[in-house]
Amino acid sequence: QEIELPTLLGFDRNTDNSWNYFVSTEPRIAYVRLTQFTPDSFKKLHMLVSSLHDQGMGGLILDLRWNPGGLLDEAQKVVDMFVPAGTVIVKTSGRARPEVVYTAGNDNKEPYFPMVVLVNGFSASAAEIVSGSLQDNKRAVIVGSRSFGKGSVQEIMQLDGDSGQLKLTVAHYFLPSGRLVHKLKDAKDWGVNPDIQVLMDKDLEEKVRAQLDEQQLPYHLIKPATQTAGAPATQAATQPAVDLQLQAAENQLIGYIITQKRREAGGEAAGPMTAPTHADTQPIEPPATVD
């Protein structure tokens, strides 16, 4: 029997086993975890984001941590729905291949809302295309740690007589700014470098991933912490591992939404969410010990 594993996950489960996508109740901040780019990733994500918007979503956290990539065309479609038509999404170029530029179309657009994308050292390939393109196009703030650096374009050639296949790297992916995604030998810059660096040691990182996996299991009823602006988080029955990266993303969105509401109340026009410059950003180090 063919078993299909879900790749689009919420934050945790409700008591009826449905997904809970909100990590903050006021303001309403949604959380969506995409584990891999499969043939239906764009379609499902587009439907979900539209539904969350109808439910009063004030901001979105898209979690691409531990996402190894997948189909490039699905990654392009995901970026496409968040950026204006004509926007450069990604470029490919190789020694024997001319440059190809992929741009956004006119269809399947989502209305603007503030957005944070989470990445870490296990975010690779298509996950780097999505996060890097949204960063370069100033559509999302990137939080976490530097991504893996896998941006090669590969083709498969069938050998004569069906004796085997040969996989060749023919080009590399470049982000709209011209940055090379792939980590070359002795490279000092690669992948996607977060706007806000939040470092977690290996032990905490493993605990956070295990905790997320457990929260997202069917019929998991132990509720994690939730947050309301201006109020302390309500803790679960057992003390959870603190997901510093998710916490930073949530705080970033809460701060932006509160600021925008104050501006609107004062008669000022709301502005797009912008990221701090790398020069002004210092890494957030993990605590020495984690209970």
Side-chain angles (χ1 to χ4, degrees):
Q1 181 178 353
E2 182 176 348
I3 300 174
E4 181 179 346
L5 295 176
T7 59
L8 200 60
L9 312 175
F11 183 52
D12 69 330
R13 300 277 187 168
N14 295 313
T15 55
D16 62 357
N17 202 39
S18 62
W19 283 115
N20 168 36
Y21 291 102
F22 290 95
V23 294
S24 172
T25 55
E26 182 56 43
R28 288 179 67 77
I29 295 174
Y31 169 95
V32 176
R33 181 181 175 195
L34 184 57
T35 61
Q36 192 170 4
F37 289 88
T38 57
D40 60 357
S41 290
F42 159 72
K43 180 180 179 181
K44 289 185 175 180
L45 182 61
H46 181 43
M47 292 174 61
L48 174 59
V49 171
S50 297
S51 173
L52 293 173
H53 192 268
D54 291 342
Q55 296 175 50
M57 176 181 68
L60 173 66
I61 298 171
L62 179 61
D63 193 347
L64 298 181
R65 295 176 295 176
W66 299 286
N67 183 321
L71 300 176
L72 174 63
D73 60 340
E74 290 296 305
Q76 292 169 2
K77 291 176 185 176
V78 168
V79 176
D80 196 326
M81 70 180 182
F82 295 118
V83 298
T87 301
V88 174
I89 295 175
V90 68
K91 305 173 185 178
T92 63
S93 180
R95 285 181 294 181
R97 300 294 175 99
E99 182 180 78
V100 178
V101 180
Y102 299 88
T103 58
N106 293 296
D107 301 326
N108 302 309
K109 299 300 183 185
E110 287 292 333
Y112 178 82
F113 48 80
M115 185 175 175
V116 171
V117 179
L118 290 172
V119 297
N120 64 6
F122 299 95
S123 306
S125 191
E128 295 176 285
I129 299 300
V130 170
S131 56
S133 185
L134 292 174
Q135 181 184 51
D136 278 1
N137 287 305
K138 298 178 175 59
R139 179 58 186 86
V141 173
I142 312 302
V143 173
S145 54
R146 187 193 294 272
S147 63
F148 182 80
K150 197 277 184 184
S152 59
V153 182
Q154 297 177 321
E155 291 183 356
I156 297 178
M157 298 176 59
Q158 190 70 37
L159 301 181
D160 293 341
D162 291 331
S163 58
Q165 295 177 325
L166 183 64
K167 182 185 287 187
L168 295 176
T169 297
V170 297
H172 285 113
Y173 292 118
F174 294 84
L175 297 175
S177 62
R179 290 184 294 151
L180 175 64
V181 173
H182 202 73
K183 183 180 180 181
L184 300 175
K185 184 179 179 181
D186 299 325
K188 295 183 179 179
D189 189 24
W190 68 87
V192 178
N193 195 24
D195 299 300
I196 302 175
Q197 295 187 60
V198 183
L199 306 179
M200 298 198 299
D201 59 37
K202 183 178 179 180
D203 181 59
L204 178 57
E205 200 168 49
E206 290 176 352
K207 288 180 179 179
V208 166
R209 181 175 185 180
Q211 182 171 277
L212 280 173
D213 289 342
E214 184 177 347
Q215 287 170 192
Q216 293 160 341
L217 287 173
Y219 304 107
H220 179 84
L221 303 182
I222 300 176
K223 301 292 288 183
T226 58
Q227 187 170 346
T228 299
T234 58
Q235 297 296 324
T238 56
Q239 190 70 20
V242 179
D243 188 343
L244 298 175
Q245 294 169 344
L246 176 57
Q247 192 176 70
E250 189 176 346
N251 290 338
Q252 178 80 6
L253 282 172
I254 289 175
Y256 169 81
I257 292 170
I258 290 174
T259 301
Q260 288 299 84
K261 287 183 177 179
R262 288 175 178 171
R263 292 182 62 180
E264 292 169 0
E268 299 181 53
M273 186 175 183
T274 57
T277 62
H278 289 290
D280 297 332
T281 304
Q282 296 296 323
I284 300 175
E285 299 286 353
T289 59
V290 179
D291 295 329

